[in-house]
Amino acid sequence: MITIKNDLQLAKMRSAGHLLYDVLCQLRERMAPGMTTLDLDRYAHELITHAHAIPSFLGYEGYPATLCVSIDDEVVHGIPSKHIEMKEGSIVSVDCGLVLDGWQADSAFTKGMGQISPECAQLIEVTERCFFEGARQAVDGNRLGDIGHAVQQLAESYNYGVIRDLTGHGIGREMHEDPAVPNYGTPGHGVRLRRGMTIAIEPMIALGHYQVHQLRDGWTIVTNDHKPCSHYEHTIAITNGLPEVLTYPGFSWENAPKGENNI
Protein backbone atom coordinates (compact mmCIF):
# COMPACT_ATOMS: atom_id res chain seq x y z
CA MET A 1 0.00 0.00 0.00
CA ILE A 2 1.30 3.44 -0.95
CA THR A 3 1.07 6.02 1.82
CA ILE A 4 0.58 9.74 1.24
CA LYS A 5 2.33 11.97 3.79
CA ASN A 6 0.87 15.18 5.14
CA ASP A 7 2.88 18.34 5.77
CA LEU A 8 3.71 17.42 9.38
CA GLN A 9 4.91 13.97 8.36
CA LEU A 10 6.99 15.43 5.54
CA ALA A 11 8.58 17.83 8.01
CA LYS A 12 9.65 14.86 10.14
CA MET A 13 11.06 13.07 7.11
CA ARG A 14 12.88 16.25 6.17
CA SER A 15 14.53 16.35 9.61
CA ALA A 16 15.60 12.72 9.25
CA GLY A 17 16.91 13.41 5.75
CA HIS A 18 18.94 16.42 6.83
CA LEU A 19 20.52 14.42 9.65
CA LEU A 20 21.43 11.61 7.25
CA TYR A 21 22.98 14.15 4.87
CA ASP A 22 25.22 15.39 7.69
CA VAL A 23 26.21 11.82 8.57
CA LEU A 24 27.11 10.96 4.98
CA CYS A 25 29.12 14.16 4.55
CA GLN A 26 31.21 13.18 7.57
CA LEU A 27 31.62 9.63 6.29
CA ARG A 28 32.70 10.87 2.87
CA GLU A 29 35.31 13.11 4.48
CA ARG A 30 36.62 10.30 6.74
CA MET A 31 36.97 7.69 3.97
CA ALA A 32 40.52 7.09 2.79
CA PRO A 33 42.68 4.31 1.37
CA GLY A 34 43.80 1.92 4.10
CA MET A 35 40.72 2.41 6.28
CA THR A 36 38.70 -0.73 6.96
CA THR A 37 35.03 -0.85 6.13
CA LEU A 38 34.33 -1.86 9.75
CA ASP A 39 36.02 1.31 11.02
CA LEU A 40 33.75 3.35 8.74
CA ASP A 41 30.72 1.43 9.96
CA ARG A 42 31.56 2.06 13.61
CA TYR A 43 31.97 5.76 12.90
CA ALA A 44 28.56 5.86 11.21
CA HIS A 45 26.94 4.10 14.16
CA GLU A 46 28.48 6.61 16.55
CA LEU A 47 27.29 9.59 14.50
CA ILE A 48 23.73 8.29 14.20
CA THR A 49 23.22 7.21 17.79
CA HIS A 50 24.87 10.38 19.15
CA ALA A 51 22.15 12.32 17.30
CA HIS A 52 19.48 10.20 19.07
CA ALA A 53 18.56 8.41 15.84
CA ILE A 54 18.46 4.70 15.02
CA PRO A 55 20.46 2.96 12.24
CA SER A 56 17.84 1.56 9.84
CA PHE A 57 19.95 -1.24 8.43
CA LEU A 58 21.29 -2.73 11.67
CA GLY A 59 19.26 -5.86 12.37
CA TYR A 60 17.02 -5.39 9.32
CA GLU A 61 16.13 -8.95 8.29
CA GLY A 62 19.27 -9.97 10.19
CA TYR A 63 21.68 -7.55 8.52
CA PRO A 64 24.67 -7.17 10.90
CA ALA A 65 25.84 -3.58 10.32
CA THR A 66 24.91 0.10 10.17
CA LEU A 67 26.23 0.63 6.63
CA CYS A 68 26.34 -1.25 3.37
CA VAL A 69 29.85 -0.69 1.99
CA SER A 70 30.30 -2.11 -1.51
CA ILE A 71 33.63 -2.05 -3.34
CA ASP A 72 34.31 -2.15 -7.09
CA ASP A 73 32.17 -5.00 -8.57
CA GLU A 74 29.98 -5.15 -5.46
CA VAL A 75 26.69 -3.48 -6.36
CA VAL A 76 25.06 -3.21 -2.93
CA HIS A 77 24.84 -4.81 0.53
CA GLY A 78 28.56 -5.25 1.13
CA ILE A 79 29.00 -6.16 4.81
CA PRO A 80 31.60 -4.08 6.69
CA SER A 81 34.54 -6.10 8.00
CA LYS A 82 37.82 -5.55 9.84
CA HIS A 83 39.42 -7.65 7.10
CA ILE A 84 38.35 -5.40 4.21
CA GLU A 85 40.32 -2.23 3.45
CA MET A 86 39.33 0.52 1.06
CA LYS A 87 42.28 0.42 -1.33
CA GLU A 88 43.83 3.07 -3.56
CA GLY A 89 42.17 3.03 -6.98
CA SER A 90 38.96 1.35 -5.83
CA ILE A 91 35.49 2.85 -5.94
CA VAL A 92 33.44 2.46 -2.77
CA SER A 93 29.66 2.77 -2.46
CA VAL A 94 28.25 3.70 0.95
CA ASP A 95 24.54 3.18 1.62
CA CYS A 96 23.02 4.31 4.91
CA GLY A 97 19.60 4.72 6.47
CA LEU A 98 18.38 6.07 9.78
CA VAL A 99 15.20 6.59 11.75
CA LEU A 100 14.54 9.87 13.54
CA ASP A 101 11.36 10.39 15.55
CA GLY A 102 9.82 7.36 13.83
CA TRP A 103 10.55 8.43 10.25
CA GLN A 104 13.06 7.00 7.79
CA ALA A 105 15.71 8.49 5.51
CA ASP A 106 17.84 6.54 3.01
CA SER A 107 20.74 7.75 0.86
CA ALA A 108 23.88 6.46 -0.86
CA PHE A 109 26.95 7.71 -2.72
CA THR A 110 30.04 6.29 -4.42
CA LYS A 111 33.54 7.69 -3.89
CA GLY A 112 36.85 6.91 -5.55
CA MET A 113 39.77 6.07 -3.30
CA GLY A 114 42.69 8.28 -4.29
CA GLN A 115 43.56 8.11 -7.97
CA ILE A 116 40.95 6.11 -9.89
CA SER A 117 40.69 5.32 -13.58
CA PRO A 118 38.99 7.84 -15.90
CA GLU A 119 36.42 5.12 -16.72
CA CYS A 120 35.43 4.75 -13.06
CA ALA A 121 35.40 8.51 -12.50
CA GLN A 122 32.98 8.91 -15.41
CA LEU A 123 30.84 6.03 -14.12
CA ILE A 124 30.43 7.75 -10.75
CA GLU A 125 29.58 11.08 -12.38
CA VAL A 126 27.03 9.59 -14.78
CA THR A 127 25.36 7.56 -12.03
CA GLU A 128 24.77 10.76 -10.06
CA ARG A 129 23.40 12.46 -13.17
CA CYS A 130 21.11 9.46 -13.68
CA PHE A 131 19.55 10.15 -10.28
CA PHE A 132 18.80 13.77 -11.13
CA GLU A 133 17.46 12.85 -14.59
CA GLY A 134 15.11 10.34 -12.99
CA ALA A 135 14.10 12.66 -10.16
CA ARG A 136 13.18 15.41 -12.63
CA GLN A 137 10.40 13.10 -13.79
CA ALA A 138 9.09 12.57 -10.24
CA VAL A 139 6.27 15.07 -10.48
CA ASP A 140 2.58 14.87 -9.63
CA GLY A 141 0.72 13.13 -12.47
CA ASN A 142 3.71 11.37 -14.02
CA ARG A 143 4.25 7.64 -13.69
CA LEU A 144 7.03 5.46 -12.32
CA GLY A 145 7.99 4.44 -15.84
CA ASP A 146 8.91 8.04 -16.56
CA ILE A 147 11.53 7.94 -13.78
CA GLY A 148 13.00 4.60 -14.83
CA HIS A 149 13.09 5.51 -18.50
CA ALA A 150 15.01 8.73 -17.80
CA VAL A 151 17.62 6.84 -15.75
CA GLN A 152 17.93 4.06 -18.31
CA GLN A 153 18.17 6.37 -21.31
CA LEU A 154 21.09 8.33 -19.89
CA ALA A 155 22.99 5.29 -18.56
CA GLU A 156 22.62 3.30 -21.76
CA SER A 157 23.77 6.27 -23.86
CA TYR A 158 27.17 5.52 -22.27
CA ASN A 159 26.75 1.76 -22.88
CA TYR A 160 26.46 1.17 -19.15
CA GLY A 161 24.42 -1.62 -17.61
CA VAL A 162 21.35 -0.61 -15.59
CA ILE A 163 20.90 -3.09 -12.75
CA ARG A 164 17.45 -4.66 -13.05
CA ASP A 165 17.29 -7.09 -10.13
CA LEU A 166 17.34 -4.25 -7.56
CA THR A 167 15.17 -1.14 -7.36
CA GLY A 168 14.44 1.97 -5.38
CA HIS A 169 11.41 1.98 -3.13
CA GLY A 170 8.78 3.87 -1.25
CA ILE A 171 9.82 5.06 2.20
CA GLY A 172 8.20 6.59 5.28
CA ARG A 173 7.70 4.94 8.65
CA GLU A 174 9.22 1.83 7.09
CA MET A 175 12.46 1.77 5.16
CA HIS A 176 10.92 -0.24 2.31
CA GLU A 177 7.37 0.65 1.38
CA ASP A 178 5.39 0.47 -1.85
CA PRO A 179 6.02 1.17 -4.66
CA ALA A 180 9.16 -0.40 -6.11
CA VAL A 181 11.04 2.20 -8.19
CA PRO A 182 12.94 0.53 -11.06
CA ASN A 183 15.81 2.25 -12.86
CA TYR A 184 14.41 1.25 -16.25
CA GLY A 185 10.97 1.47 -17.77
CA THR A 186 8.56 2.80 -20.35
CA PRO A 187 7.29 6.39 -20.25
CA GLY A 188 3.64 6.68 -19.30
CA HIS A 189 3.53 3.27 -17.61
CA GLY A 190 3.42 2.20 -13.99
CA VAL A 191 2.01 3.72 -10.81
CA ARG A 192 0.84 7.33 -11.10
CA LEU A 193 2.79 9.72 -8.88
CA ARG A 194 0.88 11.91 -6.43
CA ARG A 195 1.79 14.83 -4.22
CA GLY A 196 2.78 13.56 -0.78
CA MET A 197 4.36 10.32 -2.00
CA THR A 198 7.91 9.74 -0.72
CA ILE A 199 10.29 7.47 -2.60
CA ALA A 200 13.98 6.59 -2.71
CA ILE A 201 15.42 6.74 -6.23
CA GLU A 202 18.72 4.86 -6.42
CA PRO A 203 20.44 4.24 -9.74
CA MET A 204 22.84 1.29 -9.64
CA ILE A 205 24.86 1.53 -12.83
CA ALA A 206 27.52 -0.92 -13.99
CA LEU A 207 30.49 -0.35 -16.27
CA GLY A 208 29.65 -3.65 -17.94
CA HIS A 209 26.54 -5.83 -18.10
CA TYR A 210 23.59 -5.53 -15.73
CA GLN A 211 23.45 -9.18 -14.66
CA VAL A 212 24.26 -9.80 -10.98
CA HIS A 213 24.37 -12.55 -8.38
CA GLN A 214 24.46 -12.84 -4.59
CA LEU A 215 27.52 -14.07 -2.70
CA ARG A 216 27.47 -16.85 -0.14
CA ASP A 217 27.25 -14.35 2.73
CA GLY A 218 23.59 -14.00 1.78
CA TRP A 219 23.81 -10.24 1.28
CA THR A 220 26.49 -8.94 -1.06
CA ILE A 221 25.38 -8.49 -4.69
CA VAL A 222 28.11 -8.43 -7.36
CA THR A 223 28.16 -8.02 -11.13
CA ASN A 224 28.48 -11.29 -13.04
CA ASP A 225 31.26 -9.89 -15.23
CA HIS A 226 33.01 -8.34 -12.19
CA LYS A 227 32.98 -4.88 -13.77
CA PRO A 228 32.69 -1.95 -11.31
CA CYS A 229 29.30 -0.60 -10.30
CA SER A 230 28.31 2.81 -8.91
CA HIS A 231 25.34 3.62 -6.64
CA TYR A 232 23.70 6.95 -5.87
CA GLU A 233 20.50 7.50 -3.87
CA HIS A 234 18.34 10.16 -2.27
CA THR A 235 14.95 10.18 -0.58
CA ILE A 236 12.54 12.55 -2.30
CA ALA A 237 9.02 13.88 -1.81
CA ILE A 238 6.57 14.48 -4.67
CA THR A 239 5.32 18.08 -4.54
CA ASN A 240 3.28 20.45 -6.70
CA GLY A 241 6.38 21.06 -8.81
CA LEU A 242 9.78 19.41 -9.03
CA PRO A 243 10.39 17.05 -6.10
CA GLU A 244 12.01 18.00 -2.83
CA VAL A 245 15.23 16.07 -2.20
CA LEU A 246 14.79 15.35 1.49
CA THR A 247 18.31 13.99 2.00
CA TYR A 248 20.04 16.96 0.34
CA PRO A 249 19.40 20.18 2.31
CA GLY A 250 20.00 23.34 0.36
CA PHE A 251 19.70 21.56 -2.98
CA SER A 252 18.33 23.69 -5.81
CA TRP A 253 17.08 22.32 -9.12
CA GLU A 254 18.58 25.34 -10.83
CA ASN A 255 22.02 23.92 -10.00
CA ALA A 256 21.23 20.26 -10.67
CA PRO A 257 23.54 18.29 -12.99
CA LYS A 258 22.29 18.03 -16.54
CA GLY A 259 21.64 14.64 -18.07
CA GLU A 260 22.94 15.02 -21.60
CA ASN A 261 25.55 12.60 -22.88
CA ASN A 262 28.58 14.85 -23.34
CA ILE A 263 30.77 12.34 -25.18
Side-chain angles (χ1 to χ4, degrees), residues 150 157 162 184 203 216 233 257 260:
S157 74
V162 179
Y184 62 95
R216 291 181 180 178
E233 175 185 17
E260 293 84 1

Side-chain angles (χ1 to χ4, degrees), residues 56-75:
S56 297
F57 297 176
L58 184 60
Y60 181 80
E61 296 186 354
Y63 187 74
T66 294
L67 300 176
C68 296
V69 185
S70 308
I71 301 176
D72 292 335
D73 66 337
E74 296 174 349
V75 180

Side-chain angles (χ1 to χ4, degrees), residues 131-183:
F131 165 82
F132 291 105
E133 277 300 284
R136 278 191 181 91
Q137 300 300 317
V139 298
D140 186 69
N142 273 7
R143 294 184 180 272
L144 281 176
D146 298 315
I147 297 174
H149 176 75
V151 172
Q152 180 181 11
Q153 189 174 45
L154 177 57
E156 292 184 350
S157 74
Y158 286 87
N159 295 316
Y160 293 156
V162 179
I163 304 302
R164 286 160 166 71
D165 291 0
L166 302 153
T167 70
H169 50 90
I171 185 171
R173 286 198 175 274
E174 302 296 329
M175 181 169 60
H176 291 130
E177 298 182 352
D178 291 332
V181 184
N183 293 304

Side-chain angles (χ1 to χ4, degrees), residues 15-28 43 47 98 247 249:
S15 295
H18 289 192
L19 173 59
L20 180 55
Y21 175 83
D22 289 341
V23 168
L24 291 185
C25 284
Q26 292 181 74
L27 294 180
R28 184 189 285 270
Y43 184 49
L47 292 172
L98 60 79
T247 46

